[in-house]
């Protein structure tokens, strides 16, 4: 996907939520060795230092690197400080994409976007985005931002397609990225997915990811298994039939696996200060 800056965002990235230590390093290395060119992390994942160690063995220019700022760090100075800390942990001078991880109604989005503009002007980030924003929240952020909001990373999978948000992103030329594109494996049990996996002789994960990519959604599958990491990229030498894609589109189930609309503001990582 081409971003407003002209940068190319690879359609499949290595997701790294909830894996750390040697495991996340193995996952990142397996992905980059297999041909991935896109790694997604966040300060809230608490694995940036380990990912930075893995990335040190590769050409930085060959990797599209994303991180995210926590909702408790969205005032102007804190955004700057959080980004600089992420850069230090990742061992890089810049991020290809920096996202607001979750909206924070206690902090002005104008202030947050002003900090993002400063970081871009300083060359510390190349593209700006948001994550887990509704259409309303994204529209407000776009209205006050002095930089293009290139991406909205949301929960997106066959059981939670968030049609209203996706439609708004399409209308505003905002790339949709799928966090938890496999529904944290829960969607594997869906009868349609099981049937198509057997038909195409592919894993349920491959069927789901192929469906999302064919819907022009960037996917960020996470796996602690190097073999599964490699399998998740094997999407570009086969196609779903139109009728089979429509079968997945027609799955009638609205089941979020993480973006439930319920926030624990006292959470040490994702909460906000009182």
């Amino acid at each position: 996907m081409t971003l407003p800056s002209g940068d190319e965002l690879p359609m499949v990235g290595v997701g790294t939520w909830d894996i750390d230590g040697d495991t996340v390093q193995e996952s990142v290395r397996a992905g980059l060795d297999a041909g991935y060119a896109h790694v997604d992390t966040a300060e809230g994942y608490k694995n940036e230092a380990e990912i930075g160690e893995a990335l040190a063995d590769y050409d930085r220019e060959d990797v599209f690197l994303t991180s995210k700022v926590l909702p408790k760090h969205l005032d102007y100075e804190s955004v700057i400080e959080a980004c600089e800390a992420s850069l230090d942990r990742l061992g890089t001078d810049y991020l290809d994409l920096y996202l607001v991880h979750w909206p924070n109604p206690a902090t002005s989005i104008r202030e947050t976007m002003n900090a993002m503009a400063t970081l871009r002007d300083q060359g510390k980030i190349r593209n700006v985005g948001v994550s887990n924003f509704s259409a309303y929240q994204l529209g407000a952020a776009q209205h006050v931002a002095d930089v293009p909001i290139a991406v909205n990373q949301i929960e997106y999978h066959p059981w939670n397609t968030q049609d209203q948000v996706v439609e708004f992103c399409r209308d505003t030329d905002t790339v949709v990225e799928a966090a938890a594109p496999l529904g944290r494996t829960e969607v594997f049990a869906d009868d349609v997915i099981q049937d198509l996996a057997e038909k195409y002789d592919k894993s349920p994960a491959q069927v789901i990811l192929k469906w999302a990519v064919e819907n022009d959604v960037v996917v960020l599958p996470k796996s602690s298994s190097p073999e599964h990491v490699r399998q998740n990229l094997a999407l570009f030498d086969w196609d779903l039939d139109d009728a089979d894609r429509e079968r997945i589109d027609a799955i009638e189930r609205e089941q979020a696996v993480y973006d439930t609309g319920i926030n624990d503001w006292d959470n040490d990582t994702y909460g906000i200060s009182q």
Side-chain angles (χ1 to χ4, degrees):
M1 304 292 283
T2 302
L3 303 181
S5 65
D7 290 345
E8 298 290 334
L9 173 62
M11 290 298 296
V12 185
V14 179
T16 63
W17 172 80
D18 200 34
I19 48 176
D20 54 20
D22 292 342
T23 303
V24 75
Q25 291 188 347
E26 291 173 4
S27 180
V28 168
R29 290 191 174 104
L32 296 177
D33 290 343
Y36 286 77
H38 180 186
V39 176
D40 179 273
T41 184
E43 65 168 321
Y45 296 172
K46 300 180 181 179
N47 58 14
E48 289 175 316
E50 291 92 338
I51 290 173
E53 291 179 19
L55 292 176
D57 297 330
Y58 300 86
D59 188 339
R60 174 67 184 87
E61 291 296 324
D62 292 338
V63 181
F64 191 101
L65 181 60
T66 299
S67 192
K68 312 177 191 74
V69 55
L70 287 169
K72 63 184 176 183
H73 293 153
L74 296 189
D75 63 275
Y76 183 91
E77 292 298 336
S78 294
V79 172
I80 304 295
E81 292 170 1
C83 181
E84 291 173 345
S86 287
L87 292 173
D88 183 62
R89 287 188 291 267
L90 287 162
T92 183
D93 295 329
Y94 71 95
L95 293 169
D96 295 279
L97 177 63
Y98 197 41
L99 305 180
V100 177
H101 202 155
W102 285 90
N104 176 353
T107 302
S108 165
I109 191 64
R110 188 190 303 272
E111 184 173 352
T112 304
M113 287 299 145
N114 285 345
M116 289 290 198
T118 296
L119 289 167
R120 192 193 67 166
D121 291 345
Q122 292 174 344
K124 293 176 181 176
I125 63 176
R126 294 188 174 178
N127 299 278
V128 173
V130 296
S131 184
N132 303 306
F133 272 46
S134 68
Y136 176 83
Q137 291 162 334
L138 176 58
Q142 290 170 334
H143 183 66
V144 301
D146 291 329
V147 291
I149 297 178
V151 169
N152 188 12
Q153 184 180 126
I154 61 173
E155 180 176 338
Y156 178 93
H157 49 74
W159 285 1
N160 189 23
T161 54
Q162 300 208 63
D163 295 342
Q164 182 183 17
V165 180
V166 171
E167 182 179 359
F168 185 81
C169 288
R170 305 282 194 231
D171 290 343
T172 58
D173 295 322
T174 307
V175 173
V176 177
E177 283 190 336
L182 305 176
R184 296 188 176 164
T185 73
E186 292 183 23
V187 186
F188 290 179
D190 190 277
D191 290 342
V192 172
I193 300 302
Q194 287 285 327
D195 184 45
L196 294 179
E198 182 176 354
K199 173 180 176 179
Y200 287 91
D201 192 25
K202 301 294 182 183
S203 70
Q206 288 172 314
V207 170
I208 295 166
L209 296 173
K210 183 66 175 180
W211 162 81
V213 167
E214 290 188 350
N215 283 339
D216 291 330
V217 173
V218 175
V219 293
L220 304 168
K222 177 211 77 171
S223 178
S224 58
S225 162
E227 178 58 28
H228 289 164
V229 171
R230 289 186 285 269
Q231 287 179 358
N232 289 341
L233 189 63
L235 306 176
F236 300 100
D237 58 354
W238 61 285
D239 297 300
L240 289 169
D241 293 341
D242 290 345
D244 291 331
R245 190 183 315 112
E246 290 170 3
R247 286 182 65 192
I248 301 176
D249 289 339
I251 293 173
E252 293 187 4
R253 187 164 183 168
E254 294 183 11
Q255 180 173 327
V257 297
Y258 81 83
D259 191 3
T260 61
I262 300 172
N263 295 81
D264 177 6
W265 298 120
D266 292 321
N267 182 283
D268 287 342
T269 299
Y270 294 101
I272 59 175
S273 58
Q274 188 170 358

